[in-house]
Amino acid sequence: DGPVTYSEGPPDARLKDFIYCYWQLKTTRPLHEPFKYRVVADGCIDIFLELCNPENPFVMGFSTTYTEFPIGHSFHYVGIRFLPMAFPQVFGLNISELTDRFEHLNSVAPKTARCIPPILEGLSSPQQVYPALDHFFLNLINRTTIQTDTRICSALFQILEKRGNIKVEELDAGLSSRQLRRLFKRYIGTNPKAFSKVVRFQNMVKYAASGNSLAT
């Protein structure tokens, strides 16, 4: 009900292994002061753009720290939040250079940067925007050969299952610690230890928000 609203929506069920959610952040009226956009580490990678300027989309890499930056007095941002490891699978990239940074999507995935703006032209509501994004990403993934390394998938599952409370040496993925660090850098953007810290932090946030005790 305030001057800035944030909402999330699920993707098509066929995209659930790649996209966590779509989101919108927008003003309902011009603000007196520039809004500070806050980024908290969550293990995901986001594509985002301003609907008033869709020709200039960005990608935000894995965040290891909290940061904030001003984004203006009036805005309407739309984002696609990819699950850990999904972005490099879809786009075939080593994402280690994106860690703690955001870049113009054109320098990372130029074809997608060109294709997304036209499909969102004239759209504004979630009921319009999210189905358009579903259609685009379903077509993209159907045309893409997704290569999955089961070893890093196994390590990710173990970290998530233990809520980040597991040592790197305890991960049973059929890889040496050095190999695991290299694959995590490529597919996640950071090492297993740092990713585990983010998972622990997110679970603390989840339980704090629910009013439950971490001991339960």
Side-chain angles (χ1 to χ4, degrees):
D1 297 326
V4 179
T5 64
Y6 174 80
S7 62
E8 293 181 355
D12 185 288
R14 291 168 290 179
L15 293 169
K16 65 180 179 62
D17 292 334
F18 303 96
I19 295 174
Y20 174 70
C21 72
Y22 302 126
W23 56 264
Q24 289 200 41
L25 178 72
K26 64 178 182 177
T27 49
T28 57
R29 60 179 181 270
L31 307 175
H32 296 298
E33 300 290 338
F35 182 79
K36 290 183 179 179
Y37 182 65
R38 297 172 175 86
V39 178
V40 178
D42 62 3
C44 298
I45 292 178
D46 288 43
I47 290 175
F48 62 98
L49 55 86
E50 238 281 17
L51 278 183
C52 297
N53 183 26
E55 294 78 17
N56 196 24
F58 292 86
V59 56
M60 171 71 78
F62 180 94
S63 296
T64 60
T65 59
Y66 167 86
T67 186
E68 61 179 43
F69 48 91
I71 58 174
H73 297 79
S74 182
F75 48 81
H76 188 170
Y77 280 95
V78 169
I80 304 103
R81 182 161 298 142
F82 290 86
L83 287 163
M85 204 172 79
F87 190 89
Q89 285 182 305
V90 173
F91 295 102
L93 301 169
N94 182 332
I95 58 166
S96 59
E97 294 183 2
L98 284 176
T99 300
D100 288 323
R101 297 174 58 186
F102 67 93
E103 296 283 348
H104 291 279
L105 184 62
N106 189 57
S107 65
V108 178
K111 187 174 181 179
T112 298
R114 292 193 302 270
C115 291
I116 288 182
I119 69 171
L120 298 181
E121 186 176 354
L123 307 183
S124 59
S125 71
Q127 293 78 13
Q128 297 172 319
V129 171
Y130 298 165
L133 291 173
D134 278 338
H135 181 73
F136 172 78
F137 283 107
L138 282 169
N139 284 336
L140 175 63
I141 288 171
N142 286 336
R143 297 194 308 268
T144 303
T145 301
I146 303 295
Q147 296 183 343
T148 302
D149 191 316
T150 56
R151 299 170 299 177
I152 190 172
C153 287
S154 174
L156 275 175
F157 177 78
Q158 292 171 60
I159 292 172
L160 293 170
E161 186 180 41
K162 295 292 185 179
R163 300 177 183 174
N165 297 302
I166 186 171
K167 296 180 180 179
V168 177
E169 310 85 66
E170 297 173 344
L171 293 172
D172 183 14
L175 293 166
S176 68
S177 295
R178 183 177 179 181
Q179 290 174 314
L180 197 57
R181 285 195 299 270
R182 179 176 58 81
L183 285 175
F184 261 72
K185 277 281 189 179
R186 174 182 175 84
Y187 287 103
I188 306 297
T190 191
N191 58 62
K193 184 177 180 179
F195 182 76
S196 296
K197 287 176 64 177
V198 169
V199 173
R200 289 199 300 273
F201 168 75
Q202 283 293 326
N203 274 282
M204 289 174 64
V205 172
K206 175 184 175 182
Y207 276 91
S210 67
N212 293 326
S213 168
L214 283 171
T216 61

